[in-house]
Amino acid sequence: MPANTTASSGSTGTAGGGSRKKKGRRARLIVIVLVLALVAGIGYGTYWSVSTVRASYPQTNGTAQLAGLGSNVEVKRDSYGIPQIYADSDSDLFRAQGFVQAQDRFWEMDVRRHMTAGRLSEMFGSGQVETDSFLRTLGWRKVAQEEYDNVLSAETKKNLQSYADGVNAYLKGRDGKDISVEYAALGLTNDYKPVKWTPVDSVAWLKAMAWDLRGNMQDEIDRSLMTSRLDAKQIEDLYPPYPYDKHKPIVSEGGISTLSGKYDPQATPSDSLGSSTVQGATEGLNTQLGALSDTLDEIPSLLGPNGTGIGSNSWVVSGKYTTTDKPLLANDPHLAPQLPSLWYQMGLHCRSVSVTCKYDTAGYTFSGMPGVIIGHNQEVAWGFTNLGADVTDLFLEKVSADGYQYDGKVKPFTTREETIKVAGGKDRHITVRETNNGPLVSDRSSELEKVGQKAPVTNAAPDRADGYGVALKWTALEPGKSMDAVFELNRAKDFTSFRAAAEHFEVPSQNLIYADTKGHIGYQAPGKIPVRKSGDGTMPSPGWSSAYGWKKDPIPFDELPYEYDPKRGYIVTANQAVIDEDTYRPLLTKDWGYGTRSQRINDLIQSKIKGGGKISTDDMQKMQMDNTSEIAALLVPELMKINISDKDVREAQKLLEGWDYTQESDSAAAAYFNAVWRNILKLAFGDKLPKEMRVKGECLNVPPAKSSGPVDEQDRLVRECGQRAPDSAQPDGGDRWYQVVENLMDKPDSDWWKTPANRKDKATGNREELFARAMKDARWELTAKLGKDITTWNWGRLHQLTLKNQTLGTEGPGLLQRVLNRGPWNLGGGEAAVDATGWNAAGGYEVVWVPSMRMVVNVGDWDKSRWINLTGASGHAFSAHYTDQTDKWVNGELLDWSYGTNAVAGSTTDTLTLKP
């Protein structure tokens, strides 16, 4: 027994009836399978007993010592292992939070901190050196240290230290195998041992969150890449303006007041001034950024593929339209599926809220970080979705051995040396160079050294010579106060204190929705959002000119949009435009999500209340599971008009007759339509995109990029293979592509509809012919995947979710992966549906992002709130709580969410008392 822990009773496990005994038997069987897998699959001749595997299971009953506590702390867990912590001081509360999260999730925490610090090679060897090099170049850990040392409040640092002390109290006296079975597996090839947790480890995690929600960086790269094959008008076709006329922005009124210079929700459009942004040209830069895009694919993406699908749904309805007479608030962030889930459900309760113990909050936390990220306290509830503000810009830099050029002069680089320690290998050393625009990301790859060699620039540009480097400017690389904001949100009591907290939530920029027990609802757009000197951030900019770059100060918080008790009685945020750019001048981004999900939610709310109806908690839950395909509603009527002569294709076409456009798991129509949609995108757009954007390994015979001269068509053909990972390739089928196709529907003879069926000839055909070809190709694609008998088809067999254990579940030996991973599950829902089980149409039908959790908060009557996690509370692969919420999540069910003292007592099955 570790030196810091003493057990008095029931050291592991939970009380239970028959179902819990069955869970226990299943868990023991899985443990036995693991032992066999590790012995037979890894082949090191090591014998592991069941007791060795069970050594990492957390103690959940009895008593345990936790050094540094001022008084006893109780940890009450329900039948799903979800903990509620009760303490008498802030320091005790966060110390216990660190201890408990380390019990359940330390492997996950340890991998995360190594990722954010660029130290994965210390755990996993030389295969992670390039990833570490890129992350060291970005300097997440360095910026987190600066935040901790110079920016964060004394109270925040105290809480972070208490949390770290709790984690380290758990680690003390434990070997890796006593912490998590993954360490035991890692120990067969590596002598890695976990080290102490630090407060900066917690702060750095916000940088990873900001990276995956960084906005339009990939769009900026893609637009540049497209210039090798498409002209400016074609690129404009593929990035259409946001459809304000049909998809409502979050904020429908307001602007910058001419009197106060601040944002006023009641201001009329004519009052709006705001910080102007020069919409200058970007000189048509084409930096050939394919190599950078490849590098980005290799960076661990804990939240999901960065694209139009990444986001979330949240909405709040005023009590005048609810059955509870108080607001109802829903949230479901759409992130990468992972095992364990990104989220950890938890309650943090001061037994008596006071000056020395300020918290009584519950919700979704991040393992490795104190506080609650999304949830509620005694007075207010809040939710997040990604705002999608453009907070990154790429800059071309004219570099030499002496430095970089700026306004005709050579300025020296800011440099630092980084040493990367490699498990089982020699240390690697890199030099990080930075310009006034940020780190040179082009230094991290031999391919990237050539970035910019072919960039068409004006005569004002410096001599090309060996090409241009590429620097990344990003708001998250500047120290900020987002960690302060987490604790301030947890303590918020009203909309004023809520907005004060939001002002400090600088990165990542999120849409924050709000509700309180007095019946008020609200919205705030926070974030450190840059003001550009020139350009709109859609293309890389010339770093050698002071006419470009960012102004010193970001958009002032007082100029950012917000709403409080809007007349319509509800607020919807789902990554759509925040506010109409015609009435609001500060530039937030040019690359919004296109509003398909948000408008569907708006429509569902309006349809319910139109005739004086009231919305219930059940209604909110049902809305979260709405799986209607908006693109199907547009295309199916046209598809049904096409005369199909092939009897097999006609048989498939008939599946669409009378279909209501819902994407249930057992729907054959949904399976066929989505296959048709995928093939429409491929034929109309995918085959015309540059190789850097197409799926890796998929090859085409195409004319060379930008060739010229009277050359025979056959001689000009070259074999060109895609280079991008399947889950980030284009066209991904998100709602940007919905808008692209909708804009072309009244242009049946557009060049986009012409298919190069025989590349010796010019592309021929029209929209109807392309649709017919897509229906045929989809029929035979599904025949190959699901069989010729269409009565056996269903969407779920194509659209599957597999949960993969972090690191060893993706990179470990095959047998070990099979033991650690779970699934597959057949899912309904789909891309840009409210039930956003996202898939990338270029890459296939596999689920690549999901509603990572769902919650419906019953404001004021907190114990009637509901929640669910994608997986479970535990990160231990053989715990009963590893994936015990997943089946319910798949079925759209929610668990009761206990908050009050009596409700928690009634749902408690295990109690651990932590003693000083």
Side-chain angles (χ1 to χ4, degrees):
M1 185 67 67
N4 67 317
T5 303
T6 57
S8 63
S9 66
S11 61
T12 62
T14 54
S19 63
R20 299 194 61 75
K21 291 179 181 178
K22 289 179 182 178
K23 281 186 179 180
R25 285 197 293 270
R26 286 197 297 270
R28 286 193 293 274
L29 288 173
I30 292 172
V31 169
I32 293 169
V33 171
L34 172 71
V35 174
L36 295 174
L38 291 171
V39 174
I42 300 177
Y44 283 81
T46 305
Y47 175 74
W48 289 10
S49 67
V50 171
S51 61
T52 301
V53 175
R54 291 177 61 90
S56 61
Y57 283 23
Q59 178 183 347
T60 58
N61 274 313
T63 62
Q65 289 181 336
L66 177 51
L69 289 179
S71 60
N72 288 353
V73 174
E74 289 181 307
V75 182
K76 297 176 179 290
R77 293 180 185 256
D78 65 12
S79 60
Y80 287 88
I82 299 170
Q84 306 278 345
I85 299 175
Y86 291 85
D88 293 322
S89 69
D90 293 345
S91 59
D92 283 0
L93 192 64
F94 295 119
R95 183 174 276 102
Q97 184 181 14
F99 182 91
V100 171
Q101 289 191 336
Q103 279 187 306
D104 283 338
R105 298 280 192 98
F106 187 76
W107 167 261
E108 173 193 11
M109 293 164 58
D110 202 13
V111 171
R112 281 184 185 174
R113 68 164 163 176
H114 279 77
M115 188 270 286
T116 58
R119 292 172 48 209
L120 289 169
S121 300
E122 294 179 21
M123 297 183 77
F124 305 112
S126 59
Q128 299 297 323
V129 169
E130 287 191 16
T131 296
D132 283 346
S133 297
F134 191 83
L135 293 170
R136 294 285 184 98
T137 299
L138 293 180
W140 293 351
R141 171 75 186 205
K142 176 180 74 72
V143 179
Q145 186 71 59
E146 292 172 2
E147 287 181 359
Y148 185 79
D149 291 342
N150 304 318
V151 177
L152 297 179
S153 71
E155 182 171 5
T156 293
K157 290 197 281 189
K158 179 182 176 183
N159 292 342
L160 287 164
Q161 186 61 60
S162 294
Y163 181 90
D165 290 343
V167 175
N168 293 328
Y170 179 74
L171 297 179
K172 186 176 181 181
R174 287 181 167 86
D175 293 328
K177 68 180 186 329
D178 300 322
I179 298 170
S180 181
V181 72
E182 287 91 341
Y183 288 113
L186 193 65
L188 297 175
T189 57
N190 187 351
D191 61 358
Y192 171 81
K193 291 180 174 56
V195 298
K196 285 186 176 182
W197 192 264
T198 73
V200 179
D201 293 332
S202 297
V203 178
W205 169 239
L206 283 174
K207 301 303 173 186
M209 181 180 173
W211 175 255
D212 280 349
L213 300 175
R214 63 192 177 275
N216 78 333
M217 182 174 169
Q218 191 65 58
D219 289 322
E220 189 174 339
I221 292 171
D222 286 353
R223 271 186 284 254
S224 296
L225 293 171
M226 285 179 183
T227 60
S228 68
R229 290 217 171 265
L230 306 176
D231 60 34
K233 176 59 171 66
Q234 290 172 313
I235 295 172
E236 185 179 330
D237 287 345
L238 301 188
Y239 285 90
Y242 183 88
Y244 291 99
D245 57 333
K246 64 171 186 170
H247 291 168
K248 295 178 182 177
I250 298 171
V251 176
S252 58
E253 298 176 3
I256 311 302
S257 170
T258 56
L259 298 176
S260 67
K262 297 180 180 181
Y263 182 82
D264 180 358
Q266 307 305 319
T268 61
S270 61
D271 291 329
S272 298
L273 293 176
S275 302
S276 64
T277 304
V278 179
Q279 301 300 315
T282 57
E283 300 181 343
L285 299 177
N286 170 23
T287 59
Q288 301 293 351
L289 292 170
L292 175 56
S293 185
D294 290 344
T295 300
L296 299 181
D297 277 342
E298 299 302 318
I299 303 305
S301 184
L302 293 182
L303 303 188
N306 189 264
T308 56
I310 253 302
S312 307
N313 300 323
S314 70
W315 66 95
V316 60
V317 182
S318 168
K320 68 180 179 180
Y321 291 132
T322 68
T323 58
T324 64
D325 295 326
K326 289 288 179 71
L328 294 174
L329 184 150
N331 198 185
D332 55 285
H334 307 155
L335 305 170
Q338 56 185 293
L339 186 56
S341 166
L342 179 78
W343 301 107
Y344 184 93
Q345 295 151 288
M346 191 174 232
L348 300 173
H349 306 279
C350 290
R351 294 189 179 98
S352 177
V353 176
S354 65
V355 174
T356 57
C357 199
K358 308 178 189 68
Y359 300 87
D360 188 5
T361 185
Y364 294 86
T365 72
F366 289 143
S367 301
M369 207 173 86
V372 169
I373 304 300
I374 295 174
H376 70 84
N377 59 30
Q378 290 175 329
E379 282 86 16
V380 308
W382 65 93
F384 283 11
T385 64
N386 191 23
L387 192 150
D390 186 356
V391 296
T392 59
D393 277 343
L394 296 171
F395 285 84
L396 289 185
E397 302 285 2
K398 177 58 185 173
V399 302
S400 65
D402 298 324
Y404 61 98
Q405 194 169 129
Y406 189 69
D407 282 348
K409 297 179 180 179
V410 176
K411 299 186 69 173
F413 295 110
T414 300
T415 62
R416 67 179 189 274
E417 303 298 319
E418 295 278 354
T419 298
I420 298 172
K421 297 185 179 299
V422 182
K426 294 181 180 180
D427 292 353
R428 309 290 177 89
H429 303 277
I430 64 170
T431 299
V432 177
R433 302 188 295 174
E434 295 187 9
T435 74
N436 58 349
N437 289 312
L440 276 175
V441 291
S442 52
D443 279 354
R444 296 284 72 89
S445 165
S446 59
E447 292 181 80
L448 286 174
E449 292 175 3
K450 301 177 182 177
V451 166
Q453 285 185 348
K454 299 180 181 179
V457 293
T458 68
N459 292 334
D463 178 63
R464 186 187 310 281
D466 294 329
Y468 304 120
V470 179
L472 171 64
K473 195 170 186 68
W474 178 31
T475 56
L477 298 184
E478 303 168 2
K481 297 182 177 181
S482 293
M483 196 70 238
D484 283 344
V486 172
F487 295 110
E488 291 166 358
L489 279 173
N490 286 197
R491 300 192 304 264
K493 302 299 181 186
D494 51 31
F495 194 59
T496 299
S497 55
F498 174 80
R499 290 192 69 221
E503 183 172 3
H504 291 152
F505 206 95
E506 297 170 332
V507 291
S509 186
Q510 299 287 287
N511 295 307
L512 300 183
I513 61 167
Y514 166 94
D516 65 34
T517 54
K518 294 181 180 179
H520 301 294
I521 64 173
Y523 163 82
Q524 177 68 55
K528 185 186 292 183
I529 303 172
V531 177
R532 293 168 177 83
K533 297 177 183 177
S534 297
D536 58 12
T538 59
M539 295 279 276
S541 297
W544 50 78
S545 172
S546 59
Y548 291 83
W550 296 354
K551 295 184 179 181
K552 180 180 178 181
D553 295 322
I555 298 173
F557 180 77
D558 284 343
E559 293 187 14
L560 292 173
Y562 71 92
E563 282 191 327
Y564 187 60
D565 290 338
K567 293 178 181 177
R568 66 183 176 278
Y570 61 89
I571 301 169
V572 176
T573 87
N575 319 115
Q576 78 271 39
V578 169
I579 189 169
D580 192 327
E581 61 184 12
D582 289 337
T583 63
Y584 178 82
R585 293 185 190 175
L587 176 66
L588 302 178
T589 186
K590 286 287 187 178
D591 290 306
W592 301 111
Y594 279 74
T596 300
R597 283 181 287 108
S598 62
Q599 191 57 46
R600 177 62 179 171
I601 297 167
N602 270 286
D603 292 345
L604 289 170
I605 294 172
Q606 288 179 335
S607 67
K608 185 71 177 179
I609 66 178
K610 201 169 187 180
K614 297 271 188 168
I615 294 174
S616 67
T617 306
D618 287 343
D619 292 328
M620 300 284 277
Q621 184 175 341
K622 289 175 184 176
M623 289 179 193
Q624 288 182 324
M625 296 304 296
D626 183 86
N627 57 30
T628 301
S629 171
E630 298 297 320
I631 191 61
L634 174 69
L635 293 183
V636 167
E638 299 302 321
L639 295 173
M640 296 308 298
K641 294 176 184 178
I642 298 174
N643 184 22
I644 300 294
S645 58
D646 184 309
K647 65 179 180 63
D648 292 312
V649 180
R650 173 60 184 148
E651 181 185 31
Q653 184 188 35
K654 286 182 178 179
L655 290 173
L656 304 179
E657 291 180 354
W659 179 43
D660 62 359
Y661 314 133
T662 59
Q663 301 173 94
E664 301 296 340
S665 174
D666 61 358
S667 171
Y672 181 57
F673 171 77
N674 282 315
V676 173
W677 170 236
R678 167 172 148 84
N679 281 279
I680 287 173
L681 291 170
K682 178 181 178 181
L683 292 168
F685 311 105
D687 290 354
K688 299 165 189 172
L689 297 177
K691 62 182 181 296
E692 294 90 351
M693 298 176 65
R694 300 200 311 267
V695 174
K696 188 177 295 184
E698 291 188 1
C699 302
L700 297 171
N701 292 322
V702 298
K706 292 193 172 179
S707 60
S708 61
V711 182
D712 181 79
E713 184 76 20
Q714 175 64 29
D715 295 336
R716 292 174 59 203
L717 295 183
V718 295
R719 188 70 168 167
E720 193 178 78
C721 299
Q723 298 179 350
R724 188 168 290 182
D727 64 2
S728 58
Q730 292 292 337
D732 62 16
D735 62 357
R736 171 164 68 88
W737 293 99
Y738 289 18
Q739 192 62 42
V740 169
V741 169
E742 182 173 346
N743 289 351
L744 293 170
M745 288 299 287
D746 61 354
K747 302 172 184 176
D749 296 316
S750 166
D751 286 345
W752 287 113
W753 300 125
K754 299 183 186 304
T755 58
N758 184 340
R759 291 197 181 268
K760 291 183 181 181
D761 302 321
K762 290 184 179 179
T764 59
N766 56 29
R767 188 190 70 200
E768 183 173 328
E769 291 177 16
L770 185 142
F771 281 10
R773 169 67 184 276
M775 293 171 75
K776 177 182 177 181
D777 289 353
R779 186 357 164 167
W780 298 116
E781 180 187 2
L782 294 199
T783 296
K785 293 179 181 296
L786 302 178
K788 189 173 182 179
D789 183 359
I790 66 171
T791 64
T792 67
W793 290 2
N794 66 64
W795 175 223
R797 287 176 60 199
L798 283 177
H799 191 53
Q800 292 188 323
L801 168 67
T802 299
L803 295 173
K804 296 183 178 181
N805 182 274
Q806 193 165 276
T807 62
L808 294 183
T810 57
E811 301 293 335
L815 184 56
L816 185 58
Q817 289 187 40
R818 289 192 291 274
V819 173
L820 294 177
N821 297 343
R822 297 291 181 270
W825 285 267
N826 296 349
L827 298 189
E831 185 63 37
V834 178
D835 182 17
T837 56
W839 55 287
N840 185 302
Y845 305 97
E846 179 184 1
V847 176
V848 295
W849 53 70
V850 293
S852 55
M853 63 80 159
R854 298 186 184 101
M855 74 175 192
V856 177
V857 181
N858 197 314
V859 176
D861 199 352
W862 305 112
D863 294 325
K864 292 184 179 177
S865 301
R866 303 172 188 172
W867 61 353
I868 198 76
N869 205 349
L870 173 64
T871 60
S874 180
H876 297 284
F878 314 104
S879 164
H881 304 308
Y882 191 46
T883 56
D884 58 342
Q885 297 185 49
T886 306
D887 286 343
K888 290 183 179 296
W889 176 92
V890 168
N891 294 328
E893 299 176 48
L894 300 177
L895 303 176
D896 291 337
W897 179 353
S898 299
Y899 171 73
T901 304
N902 292 337
V904 170
S907 63
T908 296
T909 59
D910 298 288
T911 300
L912 174 67
T913 301
L914 300 174
K915 293 180 172 292

